[in-house]
């Protein structure tokens, strides 16, 4: 089983619909991240969380919200999806302070298409 | 704002060749630099992580170097194989804010 699991892996939806992407991890890491990947642009950070009570905006947080339900779970929501949110979304984790090296561990990705 | 650039965007080589992928970054105040591999439709797999105090890291046929002062890193792949075909991304974490910035990647094709 993967250490970082994302669901769904693929989703097609319509403009205006609410969408939730879920991420769970078994690595025991406190830090979790959501990124989106667009062709030619690399990965860009949407939100990150350093523990259950800590949520921070990343580079491109507009139009997104997150919830850290537990240490192991971090979900990303699109309240009203629009076509330019069509992208590949990745969840990632990293170890907390004390053992922090900055190394990221990624899920397999969730491909979202907004029509 | 940190910017990470990878050149070339795509590279095609015959099997067996040694090759170098390049990564440059604009702000030398980094915590570390990480190289990833991404296969089509898949997530990112960490290949090598270089802390800011280190000059290089090696894993098997891969060697990554870091020159903070010039804002450059290279990923050297020895004796390339078709299975090395993938997109390779580099990313840096800033020293100040733990923000990780990615390059757009180099898509490598190794022809049998």
């Amino acid at each position: 089983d993967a250490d970082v699991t994302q669901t769904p892996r693929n989703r097609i939806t319509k403009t205006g619909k609410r969408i939730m992407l879920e991420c769970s991890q078994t690595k025991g890491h406190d830090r979790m991240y959501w990124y989106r990947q667009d062709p030619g642009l690399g990965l860009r950070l949407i939100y990150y969380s350093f523990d259950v009570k800590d949520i921070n905006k990343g580079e491109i947080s507009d139009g997104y919200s997150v919830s850290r339900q537990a240490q192991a779970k971090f979900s990303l929501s699109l309240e009203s999806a629009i076509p330019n949110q069509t992208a590949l979304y990745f969840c990632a984790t990293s170890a907390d302070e004390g053992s922090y090296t900055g190394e990221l561990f990624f899920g397999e990705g969730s491909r979202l298409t907004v029509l | 704002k940190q910017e990470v650039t990878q050149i070339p965007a795509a590279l095609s080589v015959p099997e067996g060749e040694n090759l170098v992928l390049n990564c440059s970054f604009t702000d030398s105040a980094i915590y570390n630099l990480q190289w990833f591999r991404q296969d089509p439709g898949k997530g990112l797999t960490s290949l090598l992580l270089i802390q800011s105090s280190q000059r290089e890291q090696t894993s098997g046929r891969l060697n990554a170097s870091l020159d903070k002062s010039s804002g450059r890193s290279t990923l050297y792949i020895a004796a390339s194989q078709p299975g090395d075909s993938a997109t390779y991304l580099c990313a840096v974490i800033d020293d100040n804010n733990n923000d990780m910035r990615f390059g757009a990647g180099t898509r490598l094709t190794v022809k049998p």
Side-chain angles (χ1 to χ4, degrees), chain A:
Chain A
D1 287 342
D3 292 326
V4 184
T5 303
Q6 293 182 230
T7 57
R9 294 293 313 281
N10 287 284
R11 173 67 70 90
I12 300 174
T13 191
K14 294 182 180 180
T15 297
K17 294 291 187 181
R18 184 177 187 275
I19 292 295
M20 179 180 287
L21 306 179
E22 298 183 337
C23 177
S24 63
Q25 52 113 347
T26 58
K27 298 190 74 67
H29 290 166
D30 280 337
R31 301 184 176 200
M32 298 187 74
Y33 309 79
W34 275 105
Y35 287 89
R36 78 175 265 177
Q37 185 178 33
D38 298 277
L41 292 180
L43 276 74
R44 292 180 292 167
L45 182 62
I46 306 172
Y47 271 96
Y48 61 102
S49 168
F50 283 178
D51 65 42
V52 175
K53 298 180 181 178
D54 177 76
I55 301 289
N56 304 282
K57 293 183 177 181
E59 182 185 358
I60 53 164
S61 59
D62 288 348
Y64 301 94
S65 63
V66 290
S67 173
R68 185 79 184 268
Q69 302 95 324
Q71 186 210 34
K73 295 184 182 295
F74 191 36
S75 59
L76 175 72
S77 293
L78 288 68
E79 297 300 326
S80 179
I82 56 177
N84 75 1
Q85 290 178 313
T86 293
L88 187 56
Y89 291 85
F90 287 104
C91 175
T93 74
S94 67
D96 55 349
E97 290 197 37
S99 53
Y100 180 69
T101 62
E103 185 173 9
L104 286 181
F105 299 88
F106 281 82
E108 292 282 281
S110 296
R111 183 169 296 283
L112 176 65
T113 303
V114 184
L115 302 176

Side-chain angles (χ1 to χ4, degrees), chain B residues 7 10 19 23 25 32-33 55-57 62-63 78 82 106 111:
Chain B
I7 295 173
L19 59 101
C23 173
F25 47 95
N32 67 25
L33 183 144
R55 298 280 296 181
E56 66 177 346
Q57 284 287 329
L62 306 180
N63 175 276
T106 294
K111 298 179 179 179

Side-chain angles (χ1 to χ4, degrees), chain B residues 28-89:
Chain B
S28 62
I30 65 170
Y31 183 80
N32 67 25
L33 183 144
Q34 199 167 352
W35 281 94
F36 295 89
R37 169 186 172 135
Q38 184 178 25
D39 293 289
K42 299 288 188 179
L44 281 69
T45 301
S46 179
L47 296 173
L48 290 164
L49 182 147
I50 310 177
Q51 299 290 357
S52 63
S53 58
Q54 298 173 326
R55 298 280 296 181
E56 66 177 346
Q57 284 287 329
T58 298
S59 176
R61 294 182 294 110
L62 306 180
N63 175 276
S65 68
L66 174 63
D67 184 343
K68 270 183 54 176
S69 60
S70 66
R72 293 179 183 176
S73 175
T74 62
L75 179 66
Y76 175 82
I77 303 177
S80 59
Q81 304 170 357
D84 295 330
S85 297
T87 296
Y88 292 81
L89 297 98

